[in-house]
Amino acid sequence: MELLSKASHLYKKRSGQMPDWLFVLWAGGTALLSYSLVYALRKPFTAAEFEGLQVWGMDYKIAVSMVQLLGYVFAKMLGIKYISELRPEGRLKFIIGSAALSEVSLLAFGLLPLPYNIFALFFNGLSLGCMWGVIFSFLEGRRTTDILASIMGVSMALSSGQAKSMGLYVLNELQVSEFWMLALIGAIAFPLLSFTGWMMTKFPRPTAEDIASRTERVTLNASQRWNLFYKFMPLLIMLFAANLLLTVQRDIKEDFIVCIIDVSKVSSWAFAYIDTIATFVLLCIFALLATTYDHLKVLCILLILSTAGMGSLAFIGNNFSQIGLPLEIWLFLQSFCLDIAYLSFQTIFSSVLSHVLR
C-alpha cells in the first residue's frame, strides 16, 4: 500500500491527477476486500450445522439465521436515515464502530448460554447492515463509479464462499467449536476491516471531470427524504420488496447449503474455489456492461440475465434427479444463477435511480 501511495503521489505530481486505471485497481480492490471482510464478520456461521439442537420448537440454525437476518433488515431500514445523513468525515468512525460491535456480538454468542446467545446475532446483523452503503459512498461521484460498483458488487459472490470455507477450515482443521468459530474469524477480520476503512479515506477527491460527469450526492434531512420517497413511492416500494425477497432467498441458500449437501465429500475450501470461478465470470460480464452508457440497453440485458438466472434455478431444482449433475457443477450453478440475479438487481437499482434523478 505504501508503494501505491508513492505511485499516486508521483502521478499527481506529473499529471495533476491519478490515472483512471490505477485508481480503479486501488479503489476497486480496497472496496472488494473491505466488503469481503464484512462477510467474514457476518457469515462464517453458515459453515456450522448445529446438528441436533432445538430452540423454541424449531431447528437451532433456523432460529440463528432468522434472528441475524432480522437485525440485518432492521439495519437496512435504519440506514435510510443514517446513511443519507452521514458525512464523509464520519465514515471511518462508522466502519470501525460497526465492526467492533459485530465482533463483540460474536464474543457474546460464544459466551452466553443457549438459547440466549441467539440474540447476540441480532446485533451482529444490525451492526453490519449499513456497511454496503458506507463503503460504496467512497466510490460515488466518479467517472469510474460504474466499473468500481461492478468490482465491489461481485465481492458478495466471492465472499460467500470464502466465509463458508474459512468456517469449515476452523471447524474441521483447527477443531474450534461452532460457537467460538465466529469470534475467531471475526477477531482476524476486525482489524483488517478497520485498516481498509482507513485506506478508503485516502482515496483522491473527485476531479473536476468526475464532478461534471456525475450527479453530486448530498446529505438529506428528514423532510427531503420524505419528499423523495413520495415522489418515487411506487418504484421504491417495488424495488424494496424485490430486494428483500432476493436477499432472503440468497440468505437461505448461503445459510443452509451445508445442511443440504454432505460437506464431508468436499474440501473445506471447495466453496471458496467454486465461488471464485463464479465471481470471475460475473466480473467479466459486469465489466463489459460498464463500458456502455446506454442505460436502457444495460437495463434490458440485466433483466434478461436476471430472468435467465432465476429460470435456470427453477428448472434445475424441478428436474434435479433427472439431470444428475455432479455436486461441484450443481454448487457452481447455484452460486452463479442466484448471484447474477441478485447482483444484476443491485446494478438495476443504481442505474434506474441515476437515470431517473438526472
Side-chain angles (χ1 to χ4, degrees):
M1 225 53 204
E2 182 181 354
L3 181 61
L4 186 55
S5 297
K6 289 180 178 179
S8 170
H9 177 74
L10 180 61
Y11 275 114
K12 286 181 180 179
K13 185 176 180 181
R14 290 181 177 178
S15 61
Q17 67 183 58
M18 179 182 293
D20 286 345
W21 66 267
L22 183 59
F23 180 74
V24 166
L25 288 177
W26 178 15
T30 305
L32 186 150
L33 178 58
S34 297
Y35 204 70
S36 298
L37 292 168
V38 172
Y39 259 69
L41 282 163
R42 179 174 171 244
K43 282 299 186 179
F45 86 89
T46 60
E49 297 185 51
F50 302 111
E51 189 173 359
L53 294 179
Q54 296 282 321
V55 60
W56 307 318
M58 69 176 70
D59 183 85
Y60 182 83
K61 186 165 184 179
I62 294 177
V64 166
S65 179
M66 289 176 59
V67 168
Q68 193 200 50
L69 182 59
L70 183 63
Y72 188 75
V73 172
F74 190 59
K76 292 292 187 185
M77 292 186 286
L78 289 177
I80 296 172
K81 171 179 171 60
Y82 290 109
I83 300 303
S84 63
E85 295 179 352
L86 185 64
R87 298 188 179 277
E89 58 269 20
R91 292 169 184 165
L92 179 59
K93 292 179 181 178
F94 186 95
I95 289 174
I96 295 176
S98 296
L101 177 59
S102 173
E103 176 59 13
V104 169
S105 70
L106 297 180
L107 290 170
F109 182 73
L111 285 169
L112 295 174
L114 277 71
Y116 307 108
N117 63 345
I118 291 178
F119 295 106
L121 290 191
F122 173 85
F123 294 97
N124 178 264
L126 181 69
S127 63
L128 300 174
C130 295
M131 280 291 201
W132 172 273
V134 177
I135 294 173
F136 186 73
S137 65
F138 286 101
L139 310 179
E140 289 183 314
R142 305 175 190 274
R143 289 171 297 166
T144 55
T145 292
D146 289 343
I147 186 64
L148 291 172
S150 299
I151 293 173
M152 183 179 169
V154 297
S155 69
M156 289 186 281
L158 176 67
S159 306
S160 174
Q162 300 288 343
K164 199 175 283 87
S165 287
M166 283 191 292
L168 288 171
Y169 177 80
V170 171
L171 290 173
N172 299 332
E173 304 300 327
L174 302 184
Q175 298 297 307
V176 176
S177 77
E178 292 176 316
F179 297 98
W180 282 105
M181 171 264 292
L182 289 77
L184 176 59
I185 295 175
I188 298 171
F190 168 53
L192 292 175
L193 180 57
S194 299
F195 175 73
T196 58
W198 174 79
M199 283 304 306
M200 287 188 288
T201 65
K202 302 303 179 183
F203 289 167
R205 296 180 64 84
T207 64
E209 293 85 355
D210 290 329
I211 295 172
S213 65
R214 292 283 173 176
T215 301
E216 182 182 4
R217 176 172 178 165
V218 296
T219 57
L220 301 177
N221 59 34
S223 176
Q224 290 170 322
R225 287 196 305 274
W226 278 112
N227 289 337
L228 182 66
F229 176 74
Y230 286 137
K231 185 176 182 180
F232 301 106
M233 182 168 56
L235 174 64
L236 292 176
I237 290 176
M238 287 189 294
L239 287 173
F240 177 80
N243 189 39
L244 179 62
L245 291 172
L246 278 172
T247 300
V248 170
Q249 183 177 2
R250 190 168 181 270
D251 269 29
I252 291 173
K253 173 257 182 183
E254 289 182 354
D255 295 357
F256 297 100
I257 195 70
V258 299
C259 303
I260 297 172
I261 68 171
D262 184 358
V263 291
S264 65
K265 294 182 179 180
V266 298
S267 164
S268 296
W269 295 104
F271 292 100
Y273 175 71
I274 291 169
D275 281 3
T276 298
I277 297 175
T279 299
F280 177 76
V281 177
L282 288 169
L283 184 58
C284 291
I285 293 172
F286 289 127
L288 288 173
L289 291 176
T291 61
T292 178
Y293 292 95
D294 187 337
H295 292 283
L296 181 59
K297 181 179 180 181
V298 171
L299 289 175
C300 291
I301 293 173
L302 289 175
L303 284 170
I304 292 171
L305 290 175
S306 298
T307 303
M310 299 310 294
S312 298
L313 275 182
F315 177 80
I316 292 171
N318 192 51
N319 300 278
F320 180 75
S321 58
Q322 291 83 4
I323 298 174
L325 289 173
L327 180 59
E328 290 77 7
I329 301 297
W330 182 77
L331 288 172
F332 170 80
L333 291 174
Q334 287 290 317
S335 294
F336 179 75
C337 292
L338 185 53
D339 283 332
I340 203 167
Y342 181 76
L343 298 180
S344 292
F345 177 81
Q346 303 304 315
T347 308
I348 288 173
F349 181 84
S350 300
S351 298
V352 167
L353 283 185
S354 63
H355 182 66
V356 169
L357 295 176
R358 284 191 178 191

